[in-house]
Amino acid sequence: MKHLQERQLVSADLCQGSFLHVLRDTVELSNGSLSTREYVVHPGAVMVVPLLEDVDGQLRLVLERQFRYPLRQVIIEFPAGKIDPGEDPFHCARRELREETGYQANFWARAGLLHPVVAYSTEAIDIWFARGLIAGERRLDEDEMLDVFTATPSELMGWCRDGLVTDAKTLVAALWLQNVLSGAWELDWSDSVAGESNGK
Amino acid sequence: MKHLQERQLVSADLCQGSFLHVLRDTVELSNGSLSTREYVVHPGAVMVVPLLEDVDGQLRLVLERQFRYPLRQVIIEFPAGKIDPGEDPFHCARRELREETGYQANFWARAGLLHPVVAYSTEAIDIWFARGLIAGERRLDEDEMLDVFTATPSELMGWCRDGLVTDAKTLVAALWLQNVLSGAWELDWSDSVAGESNGK
């Protein structure tokens, strides 16, 4: 793939906010010409797909509603959050699930990875499934406002089809969920403790 | 959902690059406290899922391989591109398909919308399907390097499962494709001319 490659010549800060860090690099393209690439440097994130077994054995999903300021909209999402410096993604998955929803999970499986914006961010989101949920108390940051609710897989799929779910990571979670529930894709579940050592 | 809402107090440029425009707003949260929100202002984009009927009637998908500098990786993607100022999304879909792959399509259907990064970008991607493809010549920008190739739907699904496809918009396209091909989700196809007037 050498004919597609781009080579870094210079890298400089375009801006450093309190949340967003943007770089502007000068690159050499494979045809020898120069170009610039501007992109957000991101620490990475984790999304959790929490599977809740109802008292009657029916599967429900734990979801969130959160106001997303850039879109000026309340968005339906699976629990997710940024990885802390030096944090293991599996640790982050357990922490975010507990902080945002109060749930702890006995069984975990890593599904895969997604890149939300390949054109202008280094962000990668690790996708985890959680089951064997035990309810507990949420520990939201003081200024973190979000609603937790549950839905059936078929409700979620309907919302994806009808445009009520537009968050890319949550739509990707729906792809995983559909194929896991149909048996087409397999997850490698492990218990919370074993998962931790695998994840490290 | 008033308890989730955030209200803009001040908006200011954090930086203005040649490609990325980043704002930093001061907002009032629903609990009355102040916070800042930093985010990329994006004109919106379009993705096309081009369905190619083989000579033997088998369905193939038109895909691209492109070096994505922020990730320092060659990424597999469906054709996509930014909407020009004042451009209609359907016009953008036809333009990007023709420029990047050379194909023109007789039939078009709008599937939905996705938001790649709800936390820090206003970007929305319109999802279109195209069929009745007629091959023609690509018109890439001088410094645009990408490979066009085809794959079967089951090859694509395997790559999504195995982590060879990690681009969020392409994974969301796979969700649409799987449900359209199974008959679970319906598309409203129209021919190129009718589609144009619908899209406007």
Side-chain angles (χ1 to χ4, degrees), chain A residues 23 30 39 45 68 73 93 101 105 107-108 127 140-141 159 186:
Chain A
L23 291 184
S30 58
Y39 57 102
R68 290 304 196 163
Q73 264 181 59
T101 73
F107 303 100
W108 289 87
I127 310 166
L140 291 178
D141 295 335
W159 297 337
E186 267 177 46

Side-chain angles (χ1 to χ4, degrees), chain B residues 9-74:
Chain B
L9 298 180
V10 184
S11 182
D13 276 356
L14 180 62
C15 65
Q16 170 80 66
S18 34
F19 169 65
L20 287 186
H21 181 198
V22 184
L23 291 183
R24 176 184 211 162
D25 290 10
T26 305
V27 301
E28 185 186 28
L29 307 182
S30 58
N31 64 2
S33 65
L34 303 186
S35 190
T36 55
R37 297 284 178 255
E38 297 170 358
Y39 57 102
V40 172
V41 179
H42 194 281
V46 162
M47 167 172 63
V48 182
V49 181
L51 309 179
L52 190 64
E53 281 121 51
D54 231 350
V55 280
D56 58 359
Q58 212 204 2
L59 192 68
R60 297 188 74 84
L61 310 162
V62 181
L63 290 153
E64 299 177 355
R65 278 193 197 90
Q66 196 171 354
F67 187 79
R68 292 302 196 165
Y69 183 78
L71 305 170
R72 311 291 201 276
Q73 265 182 58
V74 173

Side-chain angles (χ1 to χ4, degrees), chain B residues 105-142:
Chain B
N106 280 320
F107 303 99
W108 288 87
R110 184 176 179 277
L113 187 80
L114 73 96
H115 292 114
V117 251
V118 295
Y120 60 89
S121 175
T122 64
E123 183 174 1
I125 303 179
D126 228 39
I127 310 167
W128 288 79
F129 275 66
R131 62 180 173 84
L133 301 184
I134 302 146
E137 240 176 89
R138 301 207 287 173
R139 293 177 225 167
L140 292 178
D141 296 334
E142 206 187 327

Side-chain angles (χ1 to χ4, degrees), chain A residues 2-14:
Chain A
K2 220 164 180 170
H3 63 292
L4 297 175
Q5 218 79 207
E6 298 173 2
R7 195 166 64 90
Q8 183 189 66
L9 298 180
V10 184
S11 182
D13 276 357
L14 181 61

Side-chain angles (χ1 to χ4, degrees), chain A residues 1 3-8 14-20 22 24-25 27 29-31 33-40 42 65-75 77 111 113-123 142-143 145-147 157 160-161 165-169 171-172 174-176 178-179 184-185, chain B residues 1 3-8 14-20 22 24-25 27 29-31 33-40 42 65-75 77 111 113-123 142-143 145-147 157 160-161 165-169 171-172 174-176 178-179 184-185:
Chain A
M1 309 270 178
H3 63 292
L4 297 175
Q5 218 79 207
E6 298 173 2
R7 195 166 64 90
Q8 183 189 66
L14 181 61
C15 64
Q16 170 79 67
S18 34
F19 169 63
L20 287 185
V22 184
R24 175 184 213 163
D25 290 9
V27 302
L29 308 181
S30 58
N31 65 2
S33 65
L34 301 188
S35 190
T36 56
R37 298 282 178 257
E38 296 170 0
Y39 57 102
V40 173
H42 194 282
R65 279 194 196 89
Q66 197 171 354
F67 186 79
R68 290 304 196 163
Y69 183 80
L71 305 170
R72 310 293 201 275
Q73 264 181 59
V74 173
I75 295 285
E77 296 169 61
L113 188 80
L114 73 95
H115 292 113
V117 252
V118 295
Y120 60 90
S121 175
T122 64
E123 184 175 359
E142 205 188 328
D143 286 345
M145 252 77 73
L146 58 88
D147 286 353
M157 294 309 293
C160 293
R161 179 196 59 207
V165 170
T166 59
D167 172 52
K169 68 179 175 307
L171 290 164
V172 173
L175 174 71
W176 270 96
Q178 183 166 47
N179 285 287
W185 297 1
Chain B
M1 311 269 179
H3 64 291
L4 298 175
Q5 218 79 207
E6 298 172 2
R7 196 167 65 89
Q8 184 189 66
L14 180 62
C15 65
Q16 170 80 66
S18 34
F19 169 65
L20 287 186
V22 184
R24 176 184 211 162
D25 290 10
V27 301
L29 307 182
S30 58
N31 64 2
S33 65
L34 303 186
S35 190
T36 55
R37 297 284 178 255
E38 297 170 358
Y39 57 102
V40 172
H42 194 281
R65 278 193 197 90
Q66 196 171 354
F67 187 79
R68 292 302 196 165
Y69 183 78
L71 305 170
R72 311 291 201 276
Q73 265 182 58
V74 173
I75 294 285
E77 295 169 61
L113 187 80
L114 73 96
H115 292 114
V117 251
V118 295
Y120 60 89
S121 175
T122 64
E123 183 174 1
E142 206 187 327
D143 286 344
M145 251 78 72
L146 58 87
D147 287 354
M157 295 308 293
C160 293
R161 179 195 59 208
V165 170
T166 59
D167 172 52
K169 67 178 177 308
L171 289 164
V172 172
L175 174 71
W176 271 96
Q178 182 167 48
N179 284 287
W185 297 1

